[in-house]
């Protein structure tokens, strides 16, 4: 059974070796063998396998100069390690390198060679097989390039725990250690690259892009990660297409149609050069320009795409490139390549023929060089001027530096340096095994591996714990996912003015280690759009919304397609493309363009505005007039009219009116807490004091005149002290109401934002409308009582109470305050204060005018009426009227009784009062003489009531001039007054009417 297995494996190995002849590998013996997988060709020839004969290995076509340079980097690193006295001394590294032709099938074909050799070594068949050409097992593999190829290779190598260190496979799927146990890489995974792409789009304020991805394990995960990042940044994707180098023409045409019809100018591409090439060729054929291409690192510097004839279409490319490294001596090593000198490199012969477009004389007809040429060098790189029918022979003396090919482009060593680093990573892992101290090893019980019999899984273990410093002084250690975290350079494609070739200008970088928001740096001054323009292209679904507007959603469209909506009043936006408008602070309002907030207009009843000035002038006028009246009353305080109107109460009444006019000024100006708490109580107490004075005056005179016989008790109770006490008690009730109000719910200054959006009304918050209602209600109650007494006293002598004027003033008072209530409730802002000021002034002027202006007029302009005789005459006339009415009522009652008894008796009383009915005075005097006589001797009044007229004549003695006579006159007058009151009552009872 063992012999059978040996033969089977040898057969497999022999077949594999036959498929890869001497010219299809680079191989060198050593103590330890490293495998290598490089894309020396871009693809394989399409061939229909009809299975009518044994299938043959597919043929590789389109030579890849960069792939050969990467292969040279591995060889250079191995030779450098072998010549190092410190790294793996006394040990020699060998290599076995195969061409993957950028396809999975060729890569797996090469990988089987590594696995088969390892299985032969594991079977320990030396005693059965005499293998003089035995090659040691491959303990690690460097490669492959594409993520899709590495995924297939990693699945196979992982079965045998053979470490695989890739230099260019960046798919984030390969970080899954559950699936890819032995995979490591010296290139960052695409997760950071996709994030960086989204950051660039956000940096240039683009939000409308298209995406294209290779239909493999590199393109699909990369573009999926980009979509996630784009969604977080509100970047919308117009279209998303998958491509492949094996897509048929119809599929390519369909993708190009989508690109051509799209309004998105930015296209994000996650693809390799070979997969993207067919699409770019079709775009160039259709001359679709004006697009901005955002390139992943797999094609950002691809020689297949970065061609001058494509530049008019993809000249705006911005791409990612790996950080360039330095490999000392590598340039000279590249220049030494020669088919005759590079005996271990089976790819050197084809490289030479492709570089100089010739053929080596010893090349066979079916050699890869000739077959590659006959298939056509479609990428145009390094092809000579020969035709498909003839190539001149190579002399072997050609100068490699005289031809410009990607092979000699060593200015930016990115992938080449990753290859170099991968080889050194494996070498340092072997060095750790070589220098391992027993008891401190990574294996069971701290044991160490034997460097002479090292196995692949032991190397993998040391690679996972690797930590060394590279030739650039950087620390190299693989993380738990087998990745190295690295930074990216950002490049922009320029057209060289010297030779017209495409050059990659570094315009920024992306630092993965920096914190979010500070990772991206771009120098915009270095970027050329479409090869010449400095203006950043526009790639948005909608035009930018200017400050003062916001983005509005359009139904059925992506969020990036929007309409610009003006910010509503009170909101603003000070940036372009604002998603929402910000509300202005409470005391601010948006300006006309809604781009900023300005302080709101503050309104109150100001001293400086015309309305406030007018109200102030009226209040000052009221104060002046009241003061003037007070001055007149003070000056003429001993005159009969002033005395007759209760001089002391008149002073208090005028003082209260001064307070009323003054209280209105508290409603003008910016409301403060103290003014708010003072103005309503000042107004309420002032008016109650005023109404109380009028009430007490009116009621006192009314009671005196209606008393049948005034007694000392009347004079005692209606003395001055009692009057002031009643005024105080009425006012004290209002004071109590105000104190309770200020204690329980004190008014305060209030900034009202709700009435009008653009205006802040500074008003007084009354604290309690109920308290305000009690304050005004109590005032109106006193006014109603005052009105009642004034109405009753309307027929008293006008010198005493001016009942008609008081009644009219109370009517004005009621009209004002009844009108005030709906006006107060329906107005707002500063007009609330204005309404109350107007009400206060109107009521105050009404009281002042009605009560005092008539008296002032008489005092100043009718002094003849301001005499004691005039006052006594009017008083006596009133008394006579009362007595006459009473006598008339009694006479009527007596007459009715006499008639009821059948008889009547009459008597004519004798008195000093003469009565006259229906006839005139037989000796009338002229009118002027009569007035003079009345002024000198007394007065004569005619009183009409019922069916007759009564004439009342009174005479008054002039007081003597000396002091004794005055005293006697006072005593006499006092006695006569008492006697007069008694006789008047008697006359009431006896007075007959004709």
């Amino acid at each position: 059974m063992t012999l059978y297995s040996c033969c089977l494996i040898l057969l497999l190995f022999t077949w594999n070796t036959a498929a890869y002849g001497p010219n299809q590998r680079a191989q060198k013996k050593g103590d330890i063998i490293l495998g290598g997988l490089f894309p020396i060709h871009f693809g394989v020839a399409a061939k229909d396998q009809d299975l009518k004969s044994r299938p043959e290995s597919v043929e590789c076509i389109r030579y890849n100069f960069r792939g050969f340079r990467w292969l040279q980097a591995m060889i250079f690193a191995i030779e450098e390690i072998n010549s190092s006295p410190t790294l793996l001394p006394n040990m020699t590294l060998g290599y076995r390198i195969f061409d993957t032709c950028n396809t999975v099938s060729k890569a797996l074909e090469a990988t089987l060679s590594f696995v088969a050799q390892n299985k032969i070594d594991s079977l320990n068949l030396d005693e059965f097989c005499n293998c003089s050409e035995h090659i040691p097992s491959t303990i690690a593999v460097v490669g492959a390039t594409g993520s899709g190829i590495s995924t297939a290779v990693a699945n196979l190598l992982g079965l045998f725990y053979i470490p695989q260190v890739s230099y260019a496979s960046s798919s984030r799927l390969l970080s899954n250690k559950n699936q890819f146990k032995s995979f490591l890489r010296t290139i960052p995974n695409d997760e950071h690259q996709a994030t960086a792409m989204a950051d660039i789009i956000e940096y240039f304020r683009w939000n409308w892009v298209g995406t294209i991805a290779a239909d493999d394990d590199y393109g699909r995960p990369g573009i999926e990660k980009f979509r996630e990042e784009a969604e977080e940044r509100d970047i919308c994707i117009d279209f998303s297409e998958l491509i492949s180098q094996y897509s048929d023409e119809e599929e390519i045409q369909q993708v190009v149609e989508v690109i051509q019809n799209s309004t998105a100018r930015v296209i994000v591409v996650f693809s390799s050069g070979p997969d993207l090439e067919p699409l770019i060729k079709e775009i160039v054929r259709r001359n679709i320009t004006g697009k901005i291409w955002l390139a992943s690192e797999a094609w950002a510097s691809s020689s297949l795409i970065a061609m001058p004839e494509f530049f008019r279409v993809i000249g705006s490319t911005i791409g990612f490139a790996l950080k360039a490294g330095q490999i000392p001596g590598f340039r000279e090593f590249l220049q030494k390549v020669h088919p005759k000198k590079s005996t271990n490199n089976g790819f050197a012969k084809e490289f030479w023929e492709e570089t100089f477009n010739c053929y080596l004389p010893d090349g066979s007809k079916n050699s890869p060089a000739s077959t590659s040429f006959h298939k056509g060098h479609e990428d145009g790189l390094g092809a000579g001027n020969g035709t498909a029918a003839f190539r001149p022979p190579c002399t072997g003396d050609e100068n490699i530096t005289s031809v410009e090919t990607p092979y000699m482009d060593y200015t930016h060593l990115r992938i080449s340096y990753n290859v170099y680093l991968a080889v050194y990573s494996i070498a340092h892992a072997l060095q750790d095994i070589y220098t391992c101290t027993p008891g401190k090893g990574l294996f069971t019980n701290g044991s160490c591996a034997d460097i002479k019999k090292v196995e692949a899984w032991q190397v993998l273990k040391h690679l996972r714990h690797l930590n060394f410093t590279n030739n650039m002084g950087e620390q190299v250690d693989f993380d738990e996912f087998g990745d190295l975290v690295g930074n990216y350079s950002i490049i922009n494609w320029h057209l060289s003015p010297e030779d017209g070739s495409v050059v990659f200008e570094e315009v920024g970088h992306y630092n993965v280690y920096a914190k979010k928001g500070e990772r991206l740096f771009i120098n915009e001054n270095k970027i050329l759009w479409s090869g010449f323009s400095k203006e950043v292209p526009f790639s948005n679904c909608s035009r930018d919304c200017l400050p003062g507007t916001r983005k509005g959603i359009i139904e059925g469209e992506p969020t990036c397609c929007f309409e610009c909506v003006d910010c509503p009043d009170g909101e603003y936006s000070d940036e372009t493309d604002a998603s929402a408008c910000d509300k202005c602070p409470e005391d601010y309002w948006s300006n006309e363009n809604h781009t900023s907030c300005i302080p709101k207009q503050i309104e109150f009843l100001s001293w400086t505005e015309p309305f406030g000035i007018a109200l102030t002038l009226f209040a000052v006028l009221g104060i002046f007039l009241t003061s003037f009246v007070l001055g007149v009353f003070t000056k003429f305080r001993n005159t009969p009219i002033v005395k007759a109107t209760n001089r002391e109460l008149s002073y208090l009444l005028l003082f209260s009116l001064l307070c009323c006019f003054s209280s209105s000024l508290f409603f003008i100006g910016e409301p403060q807490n103290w003014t708010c708490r003072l103005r309503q109580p000042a107004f309420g107490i002032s008016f109650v004091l005023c109404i109380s004075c009028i009430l007490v005056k009116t009621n006192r005179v009314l009671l005196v005149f209606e008393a049948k016989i005034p007694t000392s008790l009347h004079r005692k109770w209606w003395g001055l002290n009692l009057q002031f006490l009643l005024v105080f008690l009425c006012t004290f009730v209002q004071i109590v109401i105000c104190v309770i109000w200020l204690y329980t719910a004190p008014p305060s200054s209030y900034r009202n934002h709700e009435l009008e959006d653009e205006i802040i009304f500074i008003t007084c918050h009354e604290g309690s409308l109920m308290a305000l209602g009690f304050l005004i209600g109590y005032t109106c109650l006193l006014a109603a009582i005052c009105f009642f007494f004034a109405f009753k006293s309307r027929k008293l002598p006008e010198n005493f109470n001016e009942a008609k004027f008081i009644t009219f003033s109370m009517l004005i008072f009621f009209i004002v305050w009844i009108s005030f209530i709906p006006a107060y409730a329906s107005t707002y802002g500063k007009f609330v204060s204005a309404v109350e000021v107007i009400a206060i002034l109107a009521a105050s002027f009404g009281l002042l005018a009605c009560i005092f202006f008539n008296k002032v007029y008489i005092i100043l302009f009718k002094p003849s009426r301001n005499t004691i005789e005039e006052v006594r005459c009017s008083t006596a006339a009133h008394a006579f009227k009362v007595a006459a009415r009473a006598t008339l009522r009694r006479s009527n009652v007596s007459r009715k009784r006499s008639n009821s008894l059948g008889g009547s008796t009459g008597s004519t009383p004798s008195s000093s009062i003469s009565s006259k009915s229906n006839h005139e005075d037989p000796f009338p005097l002229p009118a002027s003489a009569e007035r003079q006589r009345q002024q000198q001797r007394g007065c004569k009044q005619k009183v009409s009531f019922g069916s007759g007229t009564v004439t009342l004549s009174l005479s008054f003695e002039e007081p003597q001039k000396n002091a004794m006579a005055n005293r006697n006159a006072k005593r006499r007058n006092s006695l006569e007054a008492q006697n007069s009151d008694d006789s008047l009552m008697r006359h009431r009872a006896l007075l007959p009417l004709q």
Side-chain angles (χ1 to χ4, degrees):
M1 181 65 184
T2 304
L3 182 60
Y4 175 78
S5 300
C6 177
C7 294
L8 181 62
I9 293 174
L10 285 176
L11 179 63
L12 176 64
F13 182 72
T14 303
W15 175 82
N16 196 303
T17 305
Y20 281 84
N23 293 330
Q24 293 178 305
R25 72 175 67 182
Q27 180 172 302
K28 183 180 179 180
K29 294 181 180 181
D31 299 323
I32 298 175
I33 300 297
L34 304 184
L37 297 173
F38 294 92
I40 307 302
H41 295 85
F42 282 113
V44 295
K47 187 175 182 180
D48 184 20
Q49 300 286 356
D50 56 6
L51 300 180
K52 292 182 178 179
S53 59
R54 180 185 294 275
E56 296 180 0
S57 179
V58 291
E59 201 166 19
C60 298
I61 59 173
R62 301 168 60 202
Y63 196 78
N64 183 3
F65 286 95
R66 294 179 69 205
F68 183 70
R69 187 180 73 218
W70 301 339
L71 179 148
Q72 288 286 80
M74 179 175 177
I75 295 175
F76 173 80
I78 290 175
E79 292 185 0
E80 192 175 62
I81 292 169
N82 287 338
S83 61
S84 172
T86 57
L87 191 59
L88 295 178
N90 303 320
M91 297 291 295
T92 302
L93 295 180
Y95 52 83
R96 294 174 65 205
I97 304 173
F98 296 98
D99 179 13
T100 63
C101 299
N102 204 37
T103 59
V104 172
S105 59
K106 284 293 183 181
L108 289 177
E109 197 174 332
T111 305
L112 283 173
S113 175
F114 302 139
V115 173
Q117 183 61 46
N118 284 22
K119 290 306 296 180
I120 291 175
D121 288 348
S122 66
L123 292 175
N124 194 17
L125 299 177
D126 290 344
E127 56 181 304
F128 300 102
C129 307
N130 183 14
C131 302
S132 58
E133 298 296 326
H134 173 65
I135 298 177
S137 299
T138 302
I139 54 92
V141 176
V142 177
T145 307
S147 296
I149 297 173
S150 287
T151 300
V153 171
N155 281 320
L156 183 55
L157 294 179
L159 295 174
F160 305 97
Y161 291 93
I162 300 174
Q164 175 188 357
V165 185
S166 176
Y167 49 85
S169 300
S170 57
S171 173
R172 63 191 184 113
L173 296 181
L174 291 167
S175 296
N176 185 353
K177 294 297 104 180
N178 292 326
Q179 184 175 359
F180 309 104
K181 302 178 180 63
S182 62
F183 180 84
L184 303 97
R185 52 186 163 191
T186 57
I187 184 174
N189 70 40
D190 289 330
E191 186 164 352
H192 298 296
Q193 186 177 189
T195 303
M197 285 181 165
D199 286 344
I200 286 181
I201 293 174
E202 186 178 34
Y203 176 86
F204 288 111
R205 304 182 65 84
W206 296 324
N207 65 10
W208 190 238
V209 301
T211 63
I212 296 175
D215 191 11
D216 56 21
D217 290 338
Y218 170 72
R220 288 192 301 270
I223 213 66
E224 180 183 350
K225 175 62 177 178
F226 171 78
R227 285 198 197 98
E228 294 174 2
E229 296 291 335
E231 186 175 352
E232 292 180 3
R233 293 165 173 79
D234 292 329
I235 299 170
C236 298
I237 298 175
D238 183 28
F239 63 87
S240 186
E241 300 292 334
L242 296 175
I243 59 173
S244 171
Q245 62 177 320
Y246 304 111
S247 299
D248 55 34
E249 186 176 351
E250 184 179 350
E251 292 175 337
I252 296 295
Q253 295 281 354
Q254 195 173 20
V255 175
V256 173
E257 287 287 342
V258 171
I259 295 173
Q260 190 170 17
N261 296 329
S262 173
T263 56
R265 293 189 63 186
V266 176
I267 302 175
V268 179
V269 182
F270 255 97
S271 174
S272 63
D275 287 324
L276 184 61
E277 184 188 18
L279 179 67
I280 295 298
K281 285 183 175 180
E282 181 60 26
I283 291 175
V284 170
R285 189 185 68 81
R286 295 195 184 191
N287 196 27
I288 302 174
T289 59
K291 302 295 183 181
I292 300 104
W293 300 84
L294 194 55
S296 64
E297 50 81 27
W299 72 274
S301 56
S302 172
S303 57
L304 285 177
I305 310 299
M307 300 177 66
E309 53 266 35
F310 296 166
F311 190 80
R312 73 178 187 275
V313 169
I314 55 174
S316 296
T317 298
I318 292 180
F320 289 87
L322 301 174
K323 184 179 179 181
Q326 302 294 328
I327 306 177
F330 186 52
R331 176 181 180 182
E332 292 75 14
F333 179 80
L334 291 177
Q335 294 175 352
K336 291 179 182 178
V337 65
H338 196 279
K340 294 181 179 180
K341 297 178 182 179
S342 305
T343 56
N344 295 321
N345 191 344
F347 302 103
K349 178 177 179 294
E350 185 179 2
F351 163 75
W352 197 265
E353 291 177 338
E354 291 294 333
T355 300
F356 299 105
N357 199 24
C358 62
Y359 74 94
L360 293 172
D362 58 343
S364 63
K365 182 178 180 181
N366 295 324
S367 68
S370 58
T371 56
S372 174
F373 171 77
H374 287 297
K375 296 295 179 184
H377 188 66
E378 297 179 15
D379 61 351
L381 297 175
N385 296 324
T387 64
F390 175 74
R391 272 186 176 183
C394 301
T395 63
D397 297 328
E398 289 84 1
N399 185 2
I400 193 69
T401 60
S402 63
V403 180
E404 290 187 4
T405 63
Y407 172 76
M408 292 300 295
D409 183 13
Y410 46 80
T411 54
H412 299 287
L413 299 177
R414 295 185 172 93
I415 300 297
S416 299
Y417 183 76
N418 284 353
V419 174
Y420 180 81
L421 190 60
V423 175
Y424 264 88
S425 298
I426 298 171
H428 278 279
L430 293 172
Q431 177 72 12
D432 291 343
I433 295 174
Y434 181 79
T435 58
C436 178
T437 302
K440 297 182 179 181
L442 299 177
F443 304 103
T444 306
N445 299 323
S447 60
C448 298
D450 185 359
I451 189 64
K452 295 182 179 179
K453 297 181 180 180
V454 66
E455 297 184 36
W457 65 271
Q458 294 171 328
V459 178
L460 177 60
K461 178 69 173 178
H462 277 271
L463 278 171
R464 290 178 177 176
H465 294 81
L466 184 66
N467 193 336
F468 73 99
T469 304
N470 62 14
N471 67 324
M472 296 180 64
E474 298 173 344
Q475 203 70 20
V476 178
D477 59 329
F478 297 101
D479 61 18
E480 57 180 327
F481 304 108
D483 300 335
L484 287 182
V485 179
N487 299 325
Y488 292 98
S489 297
I490 300 173
I491 59 174
N492 180 222
W493 289 15
H494 290 187
L495 202 61
S496 174
E498 299 174 358
D499 56 3
S501 62
V502 177
V503 294
F504 309 118
E505 180 72 22
E506 186 170 335
V507 295
H509 61 264
Y510 188 82
N511 186 0
V512 178
Y513 298 97
K515 62 182 181 180
K516 191 174 183 180
E518 298 180 0
R519 297 173 181 173
L520 180 66
F521 170 77
I522 293 180
N523 186 352
E524 292 189 52
N525 295 326
K526 290 186 176 182
I527 299 178
L528 292 179
W529 305 100
S530 300
F532 61 87
S533 176
K534 288 285 187 179
E535 183 181 357
V536 179
F538 180 82
S539 184
N540 296 61
C541 184
S542 302
R543 284 288 173 183
D544 294 343
C545 289
L546 299 177
T549 62
R550 65 171 178 84
K551 295 188 290 187
I553 298 175
I554 302 176
E555 189 175 355
E557 295 290 337
T559 56
C560 299
C561 300
F562 51 82
E563 58 183 352
C564 296
V565 181
D566 291 335
C567 290
D569 292 337
E571 298 183 7
Y572 75 101
S573 66
D574 56 358
E575 59 183 14
T576 305
D577 270 353
S579 299
C581 298
D582 298 321
K583 290 186 70 66
C584 290
E586 190 176 25
D587 292 344
Y588 289 80
W589 192 251
S590 56
N591 61 0
E592 184 177 356
N593 297 325
H594 300 280
T595 56
S596 63
C597 290
I598 57 177
K600 286 184 177 180
Q601 179 183 349
I602 295 178
E603 280 202 5
F604 52 86
L605 190 57
S606 172
W607 299 100
T608 58
E609 64 176 291
F611 198 22
I613 293 173
L615 294 176
T616 303
L617 290 177
F618 276 108
V620 172
L621 177 62
I623 294 171
F624 172 76
L625 292 177
T626 306
S627 301
F628 175 75
V629 172
L630 182 60
V632 170
F633 266 55
T634 303
K635 183 177 180 180
F636 297 95
R637 60 184 177 277
N638 294 320
T639 59
I641 286 184
V642 176
K643 288 182 177 181
T645 56
N646 200 333
R647 178 173 54 194
E648 289 75 10
L649 279 181
S650 295
Y651 291 158
L652 186 59
L653 176 59
L654 287 170
F655 171 75
S656 66
L657 285 175
L658 281 175
C659 293
C660 290
F661 283 114
S662 300
S663 67
S664 65
L665 298 177
F666 290 113
F667 292 83
I668 304 174
E670 181 176 352
Q672 305 291 337
N673 285 336
W674 69 272
T675 58
C676 290
R677 293 170 186 172
L678 183 61
R679 65 182 192 174
Q680 296 291 7
F683 139 71
I685 293 172
S686 299
F687 266 96
V688 164
L689 179 61
C690 179
I691 301 299
S692 299
C693 291
I694 299 173
L695 175 62
V696 170
K697 278 183 57 178
T698 306
N699 192 35
R700 173 183 174 275
V701 175
L702 179 64
L703 290 178
V704 168
F705 273 89
E706 286 190 351
K708 294 182 178 180
I709 301 178
T711 63
S712 59
L713 184 64
H714 285 90
R715 288 190 289 272
K716 178 182 177 181
W717 282 105
W718 287 105
L720 191 60
N721 293 334
L722 181 61
Q723 296 174 44
F724 282 117
L725 178 62
L726 291 176
V727 171
F728 171 74
L729 291 177
C730 293
T731 308
F732 181 73
V733 174
Q734 187 77 307
I735 293 174
V736 171
I737 293 174
C738 293
V739 170
I740 295 174
W741 181 8
L742 294 177
Y743 181 76
T744 57
S748 59
S749 177
Y750 172 63
R751 300 171 74 89
N752 195 329
H753 301 265
E754 300 175 357
L755 298 177
E756 290 190 21
D757 295 329
E758 302 178 19
I759 301 174
I760 299 176
F761 290 100
I762 302 181
T763 58
C764 284
H765 186 271
E766 302 301 348
S768 172
L769 290 177
M770 182 181 293
L772 179 62
F774 274 119
L775 184 142
I776 297 176
Y778 178 68
T779 306
C780 291
L781 175 64
L782 290 180
I785 297 173
C786 185
F787 175 79
F788 171 75
F789 285 122
F791 183 79
K792 284 191 68 176
S793 62
R794 67 190 183 278
K795 295 182 180 180
L796 293 181
E798 62 178 6
N799 303 79
F800 284 91
N801 212 30
E802 302 83 33
K804 292 181 293 186
F805 297 107
I806 292 177
T807 305
F808 187 65
S809 68
M810 291 298 104
L811 287 175
I812 294 176
F813 186 86
F814 279 121
I815 292 171
V816 168
W817 290 108
I818 291 173
S819 302
F820 164 77
I821 294 173
Y824 185 87
S826 60
T827 54
Y828 61 90
K830 65 181 181 181
F831 300 107
V832 174
S833 298
V835 165
E836 194 160 357
V837 171
I838 293 172
I840 292 172
L841 293 178
S844 301
F845 274 114
L847 293 173
L848 178 65
C850 293
I851 296 175
F852 290 102
F853 280 5
N854 183 47
K855 294 181 178 60
V856 172
Y857 175 77
I858 293 174
I859 292 171
L860 295 180
F861 301 105
K862 297 290 183 179
S864 59
R865 297 179 59 184
N866 188 15
T867 60
I868 189 65
E869 291 82 2
E870 187 74 18
V871 173
R872 287 177 178 177
C873 182
S874 61
T875 304
H878 176 74
F880 177 77
K881 293 176 186 178
V882 174
R885 290 191 185 98
T887 302
L888 179 62
R889 284 196 297 270
R890 290 177 183 177
S891 298
N892 291 334
V893 172
S894 299
R895 191 173 298 152
K896 289 179 181 179
R897 287 178 180 175
S898 299
N899 293 334
S900 64
L901 295 175
S904 63
T905 59
S907 63
T908 305
S910 63
S911 68
S912 60
I913 302 175
S914 62
S915 176
K916 182 178 172 184
S917 179
N918 296 326
H919 61 273
E920 300 295 331
D921 189 350
F923 305 103
L925 293 175
S928 59
E930 179 67 20
R931 284 195 302 270
Q932 184 177 2
R933 184 175 66 85
Q934 289 181 5
Q935 291 175 3
Q936 291 176 356
R937 300 181 58 187
C939 65
K940 185 176 182 179
Q941 297 286 345
K942 289 185 178 182
V943 181
S944 298
F945 58 91
S947 60
T949 301
V950 177
T951 302
L952 173 66
S953 297
L954 297 174
S955 61
F956 304 98
E957 299 289 339
E958 291 293 334
Q960 298 181 8
K961 296 182 180 179
N962 53 65
M964 184 62 70
N966 287 337
R967 285 195 295 270
N968 293 332
K970 288 181 180 179
R971 293 192 188 99
R972 184 171 59 251
N973 290 338
S974 176
L975 294 173
E976 288 177 354
Q978 294 181 10
N979 295 331
S980 175
D981 289 340
D982 296 338
S983 63
L984 181 61
M985 294 300 103
R986 290 192 295 272
H987 290 165
R988 278 178 167 179
L990 301 175
L991 181 65
L993 293 176
Q994 302 300 325

